[in-house]
Every structure is written in C-alpha cells, then in structure tokens.
C-alpha cells in the first residue's frame, strides 16, 4: 500500500514551453501533497505544499506564477512549470500524506519516483 | 521551526565494517524522524522511521537507528557494510506541517 506515482518519469522540452507533471496517490487519499526539487548532488528542497481544494503554499523564493500547483482531488496534484528555461532543469519529486495519519504522531510522507525535467 | 544537520557529507568504509551516519535535529514539536536512501538517478527509499514508539528502530537491509531525545540525535548504523549500500542517505524530520531534509551523506563502500 501507500503508493505514489508520477507521470511522466522523464520529459525534455524546449525553452519557453510549459510542462505538466502529475502526482497521484494510488491506494490512499491525500489531503496534503508536497512538491520538491532536487538539483544534482544536492538535497531535496521543498517548493510548495498542496492542499486539496485550496491554494498551494509556496516556500520562500519559489515563484508561484512559474510553478503552478493544482490539487483538484484527494488523489491528484499537478505541477506545471510555465515558460520553462534551462535553469529549471531538475529532478522534481512529489509526496503525499495519508488522510488522518498525523493523528497518531506519524508524519510519514510517501514519495513518488520523481520526474526528470530537461529544458533545452 | 525544524532543522536537520547531517554531520558528515561523506563517509567511506570498507566492506564488512560498521557504518555510522550521524544526524542531529531540532523541532518545536514531537517530530517523526526518517532515514531515506537514494541510489544514483533513482527516487527515495525509506529505510526506517521513528514515530514516538520504541527509541531503537530497526529498518530494512540491516539498518537501525536510535532516537536520543536528550542529544537530539537520530544516528543510522549498520553492523556490516555491503557494496550495495553505496548511495546517498538523507535524514528527515517531519511534523504536522512539513518535512525538512538534511543535506545528505554520501556513503562509499570500498572492497
């Protein structure tokens, strides 16, 4: 159980175009999903927290107009990188928290396999 | 507020010798603590987690970690390293609002 999928796993796009990445919780409901970015040989950096039915909360320094997040249902969140540029090339990872899990002091997030974005 | 410090950016051991990866944390709440492993160009794999139950936590592949509240530490150990253990390891602290990752420790295993 507790599987999170991401699609696509790899994407190459041209500079100036937009790319959408999907994150799905396959066997549980997630009121909260998180989006991370990882540059080569670096740690994961939280970009934003996505709550179902409300606006995402972005971390300081993350452009909300560039990284559009939509959490339309309890099992799906999407990240759209608008007008992508080469510096946006990175490994994007989503995670999801099971509904009601935190009541037991368990704050585990289930991570997707990641999406490697290359902007040419 | 919460933070994580992984005290070693690189650790090198010989195959068959013990592994120790050190992690200190701070949190305003009673957090959950995790260790993840990431092999090159792969996603994250959960090794083990602490969620306010037993302070000695056993995980997969022979790894274990001990939660020490007085020292605010959550060090990861393994009695005998295998070549397949070579990877990047992340210590993570989580509360109700978010997770914070350490900078990572690169484990090298020499034959």
């Amino acid at each position: 159980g507790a599987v999170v999928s991401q699609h696509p796993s790899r994407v190459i796009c041209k500079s100036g175009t937009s790319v959408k990445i999907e994150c799905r919780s396959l066997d549980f409901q997630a009121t909260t999903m998180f989006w991370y970015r990882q540059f080569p040989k670096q740690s994961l950096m939280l970009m934003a927290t996505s709550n179902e039915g409300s606006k995402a909360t972005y971390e300081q320094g993350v452009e909300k107009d560039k990284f559009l997040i939509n959490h339309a249902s309890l099992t799906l969140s999407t990240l759209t990188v608008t007008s992508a540029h080469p510096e946006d090339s990175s490994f994007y990872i989503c995670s999801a928290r099971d509904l009601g899990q935190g009541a037991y002091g368990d704050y585990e997030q289930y991570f997707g396999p990641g999406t490697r974005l290359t902007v040419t | 507020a919460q933070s994580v410090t992984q005290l070693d950016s690189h650790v090198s051991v010989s195959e068959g010798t013990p592994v120790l990866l050190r992690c200190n944390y701070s949190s305003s709440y009673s957090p959950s603590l995790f260790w993840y492993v990431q092999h090159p160009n792969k996603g994250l794999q959960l090794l083990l987690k602490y969620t306010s139950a037993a302070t000695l936590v056993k995980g997969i592949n022979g790894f274990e970690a001990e939660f020490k509240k007085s020292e605010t530490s959550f060090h990861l150990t393994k009695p005998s390293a295998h070549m397949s253990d070579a990877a990047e390891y992340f210590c993570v602290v989580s509360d109700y609002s978010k997770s914070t990752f350490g900078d990572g420790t690169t484990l090298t295993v020499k034959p």
Side-chain angles (χ1 to χ4, degrees):
Chain A
V3 177
V4 175
S5 70
Q6 278 184 245
H7 177 80
S9 58
R10 292 179 177 271
V11 58
I12 301 173
C13 70
K14 295 191 175 186
S15 186
T17 62
S18 295
V19 174
K20 179 183 285 188
I21 302 170
E22 291 187 348
C23 176
R24 294 181 185 272
S25 57
L26 299 184
D27 50 4
F28 65 98
Q29 293 184 324
T31 53
T32 304
M33 290 184 170
F34 304 87
W35 287 95
Y36 296 84
R37 181 168 52 184
Q38 185 182 30
F39 291 109
K41 299 191 182 301
Q42 294 187 24
S43 186
L44 278 72
M45 296 300 296
L46 179 65
M47 299 174 65
T49 301
S50 165
N51 291 295
E52 186 264 340
S54 64
K55 291 184 178 181
T57 302
Y58 291 83
E59 295 298 300
Q60 191 171 7
V62 177
E63 301 174 59
K64 61 182 180 182
D65 294 332
K66 181 170 185 61
F67 299 100
L68 301 179
I69 292 172
N70 186 353
H71 192 160
S73 76
L74 286 173
T75 60
L76 173 64
S77 177
T78 60
L79 168 68
T80 301
V81 183
T82 62
S83 187
H85 291 287
E87 57 265 30
D88 299 322
S89 298
S90 188
F91 193 48
Y92 291 87
I93 303 174
C94 74
S95 70
R97 182 172 288 165
D98 196 342
L99 181 65
Q101 185 180 345
Y104 302 97
D106 183 350
Y107 302 117
E108 181 176 359
Q109 297 176 20
Y110 302 102
F111 287 87
T115 296
R116 188 162 302 283
L117 170 63
T118 303
V119 184
T120 61
Chain B
Q2 59 186 17
S3 65
V4 179
T5 302
Q6 292 185 240
L7 298 171
D8 307 289
S9 58
H10 292 87
V11 170
S12 180
V13 300
S14 296
E15 190 175 20
T17 64
V19 175
L20 170 63
L21 305 183
R22 299 181 295 163
C23 173
N24 286 353
Y25 73 93
S26 69
S27 177
S28 302
Y29 305 93
S30 296
S32 297
L33 292 160
F34 307 86
W35 276 98
Y36 289 89
V37 62
Q38 186 179 36
H39 288 91
N41 298 310
K42 299 292 185 182
L44 298 173
Q45 181 182 19
L46 178 66
L47 287 175
L48 48 80
K49 67 178 180 181
Y50 167 79
T51 57
S52 73
T55 56
L56 182 61
V57 181
K58 293 188 183 298
I60 63 171
N61 301 334
F63 286 95
E64 63 180 39
E66 186 172 7
F67 173 72
K68 292 186 176 181
K69 186 174 182 178
S70 61
E71 299 177 10
T72 60
S73 68
F74 190 58
H75 301 336
L76 181 71
T77 62
K78 183 174 181 177
S80 175
H82 294 166
M83 296 297 292
S84 60
D85 293 329
E88 191 76 14
Y89 290 79
F90 294 102
C91 180
V92 179
V93 60
S94 296
D95 64 19
Y96 70 94
S97 64
K98 66 168 66 173
S99 293
T100 301
F101 279 71
D103 289 339
T105 298
T106 303
L107 177 63
T108 301
V109 183
K110 299 175 290 185

